[in-house]
Amino acid sequence: TAGSVCPQPPRSCEDYRWEWKHCRGLRHAFHHYYAHGQLPACGRWKDDYEACRAWESGRNNAARVRPRHRARVKEKQKHAPVWTLRKSPPPDWYLPLDQDKPN
């Protein structure tokens, strides 16, 4: 609609540009290939950067930046932390460790 305003991207356009350039870098590609066995997919960063630039210039097709970013954040939050966080230190935190004693 003509009266609707596109939501502002959650990050600045330069952040998306930096992520895209970093993803395409040789060092990152080598590390990603070593860790995952495949080259990184950098297209999403380029798409987000172009959509952000389109939003800045006033074109309406840039509204897809926010949902894609939300999907990535939701994917990160899906995994529970490995350790449970505690509110205070244990009561015997000051005692020496039992490293020298056999189990």
Side-chain angles (χ1 to χ4, degrees), residues 24-95:
R24 289 181 22 222
L26 182 62
R27 188 175 191 172
H28 175 72
F30 179 76
H31 173 75
H32 195 276
Y33 187 79
Y34 178 79
H36 303 285
Q38 61 188 9
L39 291 175
C42 301
R44 66 179 184 158
W45 293 114
K46 182 180 180 189
D47 293 343
D48 287 349
Y49 173 64
E50 289 173 351
C52 185
R53 297 296 295 173
W55 180 85
E56 280 186 343
S57 65
R59 289 183 268 157
N60 283 337
N61 66 348
R64 63 184 176 172
V65 173
R66 185 174 284 245
R68 288 185 60 171
H69 182 73
R70 280 189 185 153
R72 283 195 294 254
V73 169
K74 201 176 269 189
E75 179 68 26
K76 282 177 120 178
Q77 292 173 347
K78 186 168 65 172
H79 304 289
V82 177
W83 294 280
T84 55
L85 301 176
R86 44 184 183 207
K87 306 260 187 250
S88 62
D92 58 350
W93 66 269
Y94 57 89
L95 296 175

